[in-house]
Amino acid sequence: MDMETLLSMNWNLMIPEFIILGAAIILSILDLCMPKQFGRKVLGWFAFGSIGLAIISLIGLFPLEAGSILYDTFRLDAFAKAFKLILLIGSAFVMVLAVVHKPRAGMQPYQAEFYYLLLTALLGAMIMTSSGDLITLFVGLELLSVSSYILAGMQKNNRKSAEASMKYVVNGGISTAIILFALSYMYGVSGTTNIFEIGTIFATQENSQLQYIAGLSFFIFVIGISFKLATVPFHMWAPDVYEGSPTPVTAFLSIVSKAAGFALLLRIVVTVFLTATMDDIGFLSIFTANQNYLAVLASITMIAGNLIALRQKNLKRMLAYSSIAHAGYLLAAVTAFGEYTIESIWYYFAAYILMMTGAFAVIQFIAEDRKIGDEDQYMMAGLYKKSPFLAVSMCIFILSMAGIPGTAGFIAKLNIFMNLFAKEQGHYILAAIMLVTTVISYIYYFNIIVHLFMRTEEETKGKMKISVIHYVIGICAVGSILFGLFPHYLLDFFHQNFTDIYQMLK
């Protein structure tokens, strides 16, 4: 590629990525040059500002029509814009948690690394949503994964953190190998790495042997991505990693990493497998033929996630299993793929960011205020006496996770539930399992509310100080109620800015 061709490309499409990349580079240089006695929190606020700037630049790109650069390897369309907005807003919240986080167990010298590794992980997630090519997709996936492995083990002198990082590396490595294996099959059948060309070739493929290999690539890809999404039976790493990682990293893995994983799954399903033929007459697509397999995966994920969460006393482990159950709900939406599936999943993640960020913020604040090393659910006992604001906010987040009417979580689950009935032959069994497991989840969710309002705190020394984290909690609580009572605000925003998604589905 010569310089003239390079300069002729529309690099404006990558402005949000350039901002995040530039900020990560500047932070790493500043961290290297700044004297050790200087506090590193200012670098965290710089990182937060760069994410804000990336959000503004992304909104500025909304009016642009879908376009691509670098020979269609990087694509900015409505799908990429919609999920990048989710990733950036989620990361902005997480960055605030990271800045106010009080490192312990020898993490202090690595605080600045914490910020720019979060940015590089975010950059990988953003590249994944814009992937138009298998190589770009894999680069983005690895950038997110490798940064996340290091972040999980940032507390070097903490045994649980080291164990979390090791388990994450081993399971992540297996997952990467499986996904790469699936991608090699896609390339082998089509002879190209461009996912749009792969989709066209798969849709017109008449050779039954190649159709079989294409189907096999779908099966292997779902297994590989299931590790990343922590769906049962590939979920084993999630509880240990969530518990051992610093709370901002746990929040990042739960929100941003999961959203990026589902964006990748949807991109591949829509572009490659939704129209890929499975028979000579093209009546049955690979995706349609494997819907039952996806339904089983979603069902056991919902059942196992909610049942095992019943036994958890540690809040971060409980939220890990809750996160697994939520992955099951989202997978149910993918199973019943239709015209409104992407819209439903996007709304779900908007609600998910608010309730999970808020819950992790409350846990982080209380654990640091009380100097607790283990985030047990008993730390919530009698919180309403010491801080009614935190107790009521946590109650809102829990109700939203449970899907109680009046919260954003309820609308998110309702959208998926309606999605299951949208087709001529509704997924009634899947809907029933979702309904029953949601009711089961009330037991462990409401147990936290019991601790908040009906248990007595063992120790009540001093008042809690107001910090920046309270603003994050307040925004998340107001958002959870606002989008629960007036869901049309978010839905109208989606319809006005991301209408191209419906054209992509046609």
Side-chain angles (χ1 to χ4, degrees):
M1 186 189 301
D2 55 29
M3 186 57 72
E4 189 178 348
T5 308
L6 204 63
L7 293 174
S8 67
M9 292 182 179
N10 185 11
W11 294 104
N12 289 338
L13 302 180
M14 289 187 79
I15 284 180
E17 281 80 4
F18 284 139
I19 292 172
I20 298 298
L21 176 63
I25 293 171
I26 292 170
L27 281 179
S28 59
I29 294 172
L30 287 175
D31 182 39
L32 195 65
C33 299
M34 279 174 68
K36 287 185 179 177
Q37 63 268 25
F38 279 35
R40 262 41 182 183
K41 283 197 173 181
V42 65
L43 301 183
W45 287 118
F46 179 84
F48 176 77
S50 70
I51 295 174
L53 197 59
I55 293 173
I56 294 170
S57 67
L58 179 67
I59 293 172
L61 295 174
F62 280 180
L64 292 184
E65 292 184 0
S68 64
I69 55 173
L70 296 171
Y71 301 107
D72 216 18
T73 56
F74 183 92
R75 186 176 178 81
L76 186 72
D77 50 19
F79 179 87
K81 291 173 195 168
F83 277 93
K84 272 183 199 175
L85 188 63
I86 291 286
L87 297 173
L88 285 167
I89 292 174
S91 298
F93 281 132
V94 172
M95 189 58 77
V96 177
L97 299 193
V99 173
V100 299
H101 179 57
K102 295 175 182 172
R104 60 173 186 262
M107 189 181 152
Q108 189 75 37
Y110 314 107
Q111 195 172 357
E113 294 175 21
F114 200 58
Y115 305 135
Y116 52 78
L117 282 170
L118 268 175
L119 290 183
T120 52
L122 169 63
L123 180 64
M126 291 169 71
I127 290 174
M128 282 166 65
T129 61
S130 277
S131 296
D133 190 275
L134 297 181
I135 296 172
T136 322
L137 182 155
F138 190 73
V139 168
L141 182 65
E142 280 307 280
L143 189 55
L144 170 63
S145 301
V146 174
S147 302
S148 301
Y149 302 153
I150 303 169
L151 285 169
M154 287 296 286
Q155 298 178 126
K156 295 187 179 181
N157 298 331
N158 185 301
R159 186 183 62 79
K160 284 186 177 179
S161 184
E163 182 184 345
S165 184
M166 178 56 73
K167 284 188 178 177
Y168 202 15
V169 168
V170 172
N171 284 285
I174 295 170
S175 159
T176 299
I178 294 172
I179 290 176
L180 195 58
F181 195 39
L183 300 186
S184 69
Y185 273 20
M186 290 182 208
Y187 174 74
V189 173
S190 62
T192 177
T193 56
N194 185 293
I195 60 173
F196 300 97
E197 290 177 12
I198 293 173
T200 305
I201 292 169
F202 276 23
T204 54
Q205 186 59 255
E206 294 181 353
N207 186 312
S208 60
Q209 291 184 341
L210 293 180
Q211 285 175 350
Y212 174 77
I213 295 174
L216 200 58
S217 71
F218 174 76
F219 185 75
I220 298 171
F221 178 78
V222 171
I223 291 175
I225 200 71
S226 292
F227 273 101
K228 299 289 182 189
L229 303 176
T231 57
V232 179
F234 312 108
H235 67 289
M236 299 77 72
W237 60 272
D240 293 330
V241 172
Y242 276 44
E243 184 184 1
S245 303
T247 304
V249 178
T250 310
F252 182 83
L253 296 177
S254 174
I255 300 164
V256 180
S257 185
K258 195 176 285 290
F262 269 99
L264 176 61
L265 176 63
L266 284 171
R267 175 72 87 178
I268 291 294
V269 163
V270 172
T271 312
V272 178
F273 293 110
L274 203 59
T275 55
T277 54
M278 194 70 183
D279 50 32
D280 295 338
I281 57 174
F283 178 73
L284 199 62
S285 76
I286 290 175
F287 178 77
T288 309
N290 287 284
Q291 268 185 323
N292 288 338
Y293 160 68
L294 285 176
V296 170
L297 199 62
S299 301
I300 60 172
T301 302
M302 288 188 281
I303 294 169
N306 283 306
L307 287 180
I308 302 175
L310 293 172
R311 302 281 299 168
Q312 304 305 315
K313 301 298 180 190
N314 182 286
L315 279 170
K316 285 164 79 174
R317 286 187 78 84
M318 192 213 78
L319 288 178
Y321 282 106
S322 164
S323 171
I324 290 168
H326 283 287
Y329 303 144
L330 288 161
L331 205 55
V334 176
T335 304
F337 196 92
E339 188 177 354
Y340 301 106
T341 297
I342 295 178
E343 174 185 328
S344 303
I345 291 177
W346 184 85
Y347 190 97
Y348 200 101
F349 273 112
Y352 192 73
I353 284 175
L354 295 171
M355 57 196 182
M356 293 304 277
T357 306
F360 279 117
V362 173
I363 291 170
Q364 177 179 319
F365 181 79
I366 296 173
E368 290 174 355
D369 183 76
R370 297 183 179 177
K371 297 181 173 58
I372 301 169
D374 190 17
E375 292 88 354
D376 196 277
Q377 62 181 352
Y378 295 106
M379 67 190 269
M380 294 288 172
L383 183 63
Y384 81 99
K385 285 184 179 175
K386 200 163 187 177
S387 175
F389 169 73
L390 289 180
V392 172
S393 298
M394 189 66 181
C395 184
I396 291 171
F397 303 137
I398 294 297
L399 293 177
S400 189
M401 285 182 215
I404 299 299
T407 62
F410 170 74
I411 302 296
K413 283 188 179 175
L414 183 66
N415 284 340
I416 290 180
F417 203 70
M418 299 302 290
N419 207 46
L420 295 173
F421 295 106
K423 288 196 171 181
E424 191 175 337
Q425 293 181 335
H427 295 265
Y428 301 110
I429 297 176
L430 202 53
I433 292 172
M434 184 176 172
L435 190 62
V436 171
T437 52
T438 298
V439 173
I440 291 172
S441 72
Y442 291 169
I443 299 172
Y444 62 84
Y445 284 138
F446 289 173
N447 190 37
I448 298 176
I449 297 177
V450 169
H451 278 89
L452 288 171
F453 296 100
M454 299 178 191
R455 295 276 189 270
T456 306
E457 187 188 18
E458 293 179 3
E459 186 181 6
T460 53
K461 287 193 293 186
K463 288 186 177 180
M464 291 180 170
K465 294 180 181 176
I466 302 294
S467 92
V468 178
I469 207 167
H470 283 74
Y471 295 106
V472 173
I473 294 168
I475 292 170
C476 291
V478 170
S480 295
I481 295 294
L482 181 69
F483 298 132
L485 296 176
F486 307 102
H488 62 277
Y489 286 154
L490 267 183
L491 294 172
D492 288 349
F493 176 80
F494 184 90
H495 293 151
Q496 287 166 7
N497 294 287
F498 310 125
T499 49
D500 290 354
I501 283 180
Y502 301 104
Q503 294 175 3
M504 185 175 83
L505 293 174
K506 291 175 184 174

